[in-house]
Amino acid sequence: MHVIHTLAELRQALAGSPSAFVPTMGNLHAGHLSLVAQARQFGGLVVASIFVNRLQFAPHEDFDTYPRTLARDCELLQGAGCDIVFAPNESELYPEPQGYKLVPPPDLADLLEGHFRPGFFTGVCTVVLKLFNCVQPAAAVFGKKDYQQLMVISRMVQQLALPIAIIAGETSRAEDGLALSSRNGYLSTSEREEAVWLSRCLRELQAQVLSGRQDWAALETAAMQTLSARGWSPDYIAIRRQADLGEPVPGAPLVVLAAARLGSTRLIDNLELAQTAQTPAGVTD
Ligand code: PAF
């Protein structure tokens, strides 16, 4: 496996070979490695990037403290069968202030995560487009754990006609159901025990919707209250359409999404609803 820090070396190593790409910010866990495994199935070289992207962090967020664990990450990537790690430093990827930015459409990017983290998806799209231009992959794998990010990137690729297949990776979970995340490492022992409640609340919400309830707002409020009563500060718990994250409608495939802070750690998670929401009794399509 080659660990490469400059764009010139990357282009030389790739030499136009087809590749499947897994962009990351490092501090890797089993979830990232499962994305690498999916990239391997695609065929061609597997390229992973490790770059903590300042553009997607607000000034009060954890850019400075985000764990940088390059040596360990490279060991894990080698074990997972990655061929090339692209780990540029900031001055390589942003040699001058990044004045050109890619602003995604507000109807998708300003809700949920984008509402609570203004500018986040502009930072993500800008770096992902730039990384795509560096690697020029045939395919790229993004985890469903960042559901809205996956959707924003897929639309970007579609609308800008980028010749890249976007592959969705399922969320990897710990045994108790907690979605794996680099930020789980910030949790204290007691917070880690409590953290399982985020996925529990989503599962409960999923069960309620699948049982036919359509009082979406009441369900969302009740789920937020459950978390708040346990000491969390929820940003949102939302039932949305899978297609575009719009408000739910009966019969549409749905997804439940949540973001909440436990102590100083902000966690996100989501669950797609296995079946479509039921149409109320007596109503036909
Ligand atoms: O999901 C992430 O780790 C980041 O948002 C990404 C896609 C690597 C862009 O910095």
Side-chain angles (χ1 to χ4, degrees):
M1 187 181 78
H2 298 288
V3 181
I4 289 175
H5 299 285
T6 68
L7 182 50
E9 284 172 286
L10 177 69
R11 292 209 159 123
Q12 213 174 13
L14 286 167
S17 313
S19 64
F21 179 42
V22 183
T24 83
M25 297 205 299
N27 193 26
L28 304 183
H29 50 68
H32 294 109
L33 303 183
S34 76
L35 304 183
V36 171
Q38 266 184 275
R40 275 175 63 80
Q41 285 170 18
F42 194 78
L45 293 174
V46 174
V47 181
S49 64
I50 297 180
F51 181 70
V52 185
N53 173 39
R54 184 188 291 277
L55 295 187
Q56 69 191 72
F57 289 79
H60 64 277
E61 292 183 338
D62 55 344
F63 174 77
D64 289 328
T65 52
Y66 201 88
R68 272 92 169 158
T69 53
L70 183 63
R72 186 178 161 275
D73 291 344
C74 287
E75 276 173 32
L76 291 172
L77 286 170
Q78 179 145 31
C82 180
D83 299 298
I84 296 176
V85 178
F86 179 46
N89 62 23
E90 266 205 300
S91 59
E92 181 67 15
L93 209 61
Y94 298 135
E96 55 191 63
Q98 184 70 30
Y100 287 84
K101 294 196 177 135
L102 188 76
V103 183
D107 62 331
L108 182 59
D110 286 4
L111 41 94
L112 302 174
E113 280 303 282
H115 176 76
F116 287 94
R117 303 183 69 189
F120 171 69
F121 287 118
T122 295
V124 169
C125 285
T126 303
V127 79
V128 169
L129 182 60
K130 194 157 188 177
L131 289 167
F132 281 172
N133 285 331
C134 296
V135 178
Q136 302 194 348
V141 191
F142 291 84
K144 282 192 191 177
K145 154 92 175 8
D146 297 293
Y147 201 86
Q148 192 177 2
Q149 170 174 280
L150 170 63
M151 193 172 282
V152 168
I153 301 284
S154 300
R155 293 271 173 89
M156 174 184 87
V157 164
Q158 189 195 328
Q159 286 205 1
L160 298 182
L162 303 179
I164 302 171
I166 299 298
I167 300 169
E170 291 302 327
T171 302
S172 299
R173 295 183 181 277
E175 261 181 30
D176 63 359
L178 176 67
L180 298 189
S181 162
S182 299
R183 290 192 168 97
N184 292 350
Y186 296 152
L187 300 168
S188 68
T189 310
S190 59
E191 286 172 341
R192 172 62 191 82
E193 277 171 25
E194 174 62 28
V196 66
W197 275 88
L198 191 61
S199 61
R200 259 186 214 164
C201 271
L202 288 180
R203 277 211 310 275
E204 174 57 28
L205 203 49
Q206 181 186 45
Q208 300 277 5
V209 174
L210 290 177
S211 77
R213 282 188 62 175
Q214 290 178 358
D215 48 343
W216 326 107
L219 289 172
E220 291 169 355
T221 305
M224 303 246 293
Q225 280 168 349
T226 302
L227 280 189
S228 300
R230 301 190 60 85
W232 295 66
S233 307
D235 279 349
Y236 59 85
I237 297 189
I239 304 165
R240 294 298 170 99
R241 295 193 298 259
Q242 284 180 24
D244 55 7
L245 299 183
E247 297 293 333
V249 288
L254 300 177
V255 55
V256 290
L257 308 104
R261 208 171 288 279
L262 183 57
S264 56
T265 307
R266 187 172 183 277
L267 299 177
I268 64 171
D269 197 358
N270 65 80
L271 279 183
E272 286 175 322
L273 270 59
Q275 302 158 24
T276 58
Q278 292 168 358
T279 318
V283 178
T284 49
D285 292 324

